Amino acid sequence: MNVNHEEEVHEHDRGLSYDLPLLARRRMVRLLAGVSLVPLVGCTSEEKSTASSSPSPSSPSSASSPVQCETIPEETEGPFPGDGSNGVDVLRESGVVRSDVTKSFGESAGGRAEGVPLTITLTVVDAASGCGTPKKGAAVYIWQCDREGRYSLYNDGVTDENYLRGVQEADDKGQVTFQSIFPGCYPGRWPHVHFEVYGSLADATAARSITNTSQLALPKDVSDRVYATDGYSESVRNLSELSLESDGVFSDGYNQQLATVTGSVEQGYTATLTVPV
């Protein structure tokens, strides 16, 4: 699906008129399949209370009172998931199971996403156990925009690319790790990374039985430092017009999705997040 520049902004930020119907349909499918519903709020731990490399913007509505363990908040997949629910399906392609998502894979794609390096580590845990049991064998699919704010497979200039998309199977600690780049900030959305959790690698590569869909938020101070580097000029202006409280996804609470980020522009950054499911 190709979009021109004006349409691209509209597609990225369709908000309630587009994203919520997709989410509602997905929730209904799970309900009809007999999946037990648990409270759709996140997991707060002592680590999460200091999760960002900078303090979270203060706001009475930014987060609810901490609780011991709750599932990761359910969020919209957005218009560019690449999981077969909105056009193309990258999950069934050979090569999608990988840790380095900076390059495209396959015979017809050879591009690389440029930008400040970002390692993403998600730890998937069982919420019912009090967040104490790793979900070994679960699988996570991540996708994000590139430095210019474009999504591979969908946006003009990168429809033939599939970079910044990949699947990993959780290890004994429930962890998956991806080598990526720091995403750009496009109009209307806070810097973020999308992810879907599956019960197994077989489910992920068959694009079936998603258990959770959510998004990881990146802290403002780190984003500001990254966006001061070459190639991120548009992100500077876009981020200046946003806050976590005004973002259409994170405005109802983000403390359980705000990643812990360490590192530097010179050496690259590492973002970590616990994902209770």
Side-chain angles (χ1 to χ4, degrees):
M1 176 178 70
N2 294 345
V3 291
N4 61 31
H5 180 72
E6 294 181 353
E7 291 173 334
E8 181 178 353
V9 173
H10 178 67
E11 286 286 316
H12 280 322
D13 191 31
R14 280 181 161 181
L16 294 177
S17 66
Y18 186 86
D19 289 342
L20 292 187
L22 289 174
L23 181 56
R25 289 198 298 273
R26 177 161 285 178
R27 284 176 174 165
M28 182 58 69
V29 169
R30 293 178 195 160
L31 180 61
L32 294 176
V35 178
S36 299
L37 296 181
V38 291
L40 294 177
V41 284
C43 177
T44 302
S45 63
E46 190 173 330
E47 177 185 7
K48 287 293 291 176
S49 69
T50 56
S52 171
S53 60
S54 65
S56 302
S58 58
S59 169
S61 62
S62 65
S64 58
S65 299
V67 292
Q68 185 174 5
C69 182
E70 297 172 339
T71 55
I72 192 77
E74 192 80 359
E75 304 292 5
T76 174
E77 64 200 343
F80 310 118
D83 62 1
S85 63
N86 186 28
V88 294
D89 183 355
V90 75
L91 293 176
R92 298 176 185 271
E93 295 184 14
S94 175
V96 72
V97 180
R98 65 216 185 111
S99 60
D100 185 350
V101 299
T102 60
K103 304 174 185 177
S104 289
F105 62 91
E107 296 180 359
S108 62
R112 177 193 289 271
E114 300 295 338
V116 173
L118 177 67
T119 298
I120 302 167
T121 297
L122 305 179
T123 302
V124 186
V125 296
D126 180 27
S129 72
C131 292
T133 304
K135 293 287 285 187
K136 177 184 176 182
V140 180
Y141 165 47
I142 70 161
W143 70 98
Q144 64 173 79
C145 71
D146 63 15
R147 183 171 61 180
E148 290 77 22
R150 305 170 301 180
Y151 284 88
S152 66
L153 301 174
Y154 291 91
N155 293 143
D156 278 345
V158 291
T159 55
D160 293 330
E161 302 295 345
N162 53 30
Y163 56 52
L164 303 182
R165 299 177 184 273
V167 174
Q168 280 282 285
E169 182 178 29
D171 62 16
D172 291 348
K173 297 179 180 179
Q175 291 185 342
V176 293
T177 298
F178 298 90
Q179 283 74 51
S180 187
I181 57 100
F182 205 95
C185 178
Y186 53 79
R189 281 306 319 276
W190 190 262
H192 63 283
V193 176
H194 296 262
F195 62 90
E196 292 174 342
V197 182
Y198 293 79
S200 67
L201 188 61
D203 283 344
T205 53
R208 67 188 180 203
S209 303
I210 300 168
T211 65
N212 302 81
T213 303
S214 196
Q215 298 181 26
L216 172 154
L218 292 161
K220 185 178 188 303
D221 62 335
V222 177
S223 299
D224 284 337
R225 289 195 290 271
V226 172
Y227 295 161
T229 66
D230 292 343
Y232 288 97
S233 58
E234 289 297 315
S235 295
V236 175
R237 176 177 57 83
N238 294 332
L239 185 62
S240 71
E241 298 172 353
L242 290 167
S243 69
L244 277 161
E245 289 82 4
S246 68
D247 180 78
V249 168
F250 300 123
S251 59
D252 61 351
Y254 54 81
N255 64 324
Q256 291 147 334
Q257 294 158 284
L258 187 61
T260 300
V261 179
T262 58
S264 66
V265 167
E266 296 76 19
Q267 299 297 320
Y269 288 97
T270 296
T272 60
L273 185 70
T274 298
V275 180
V277 299

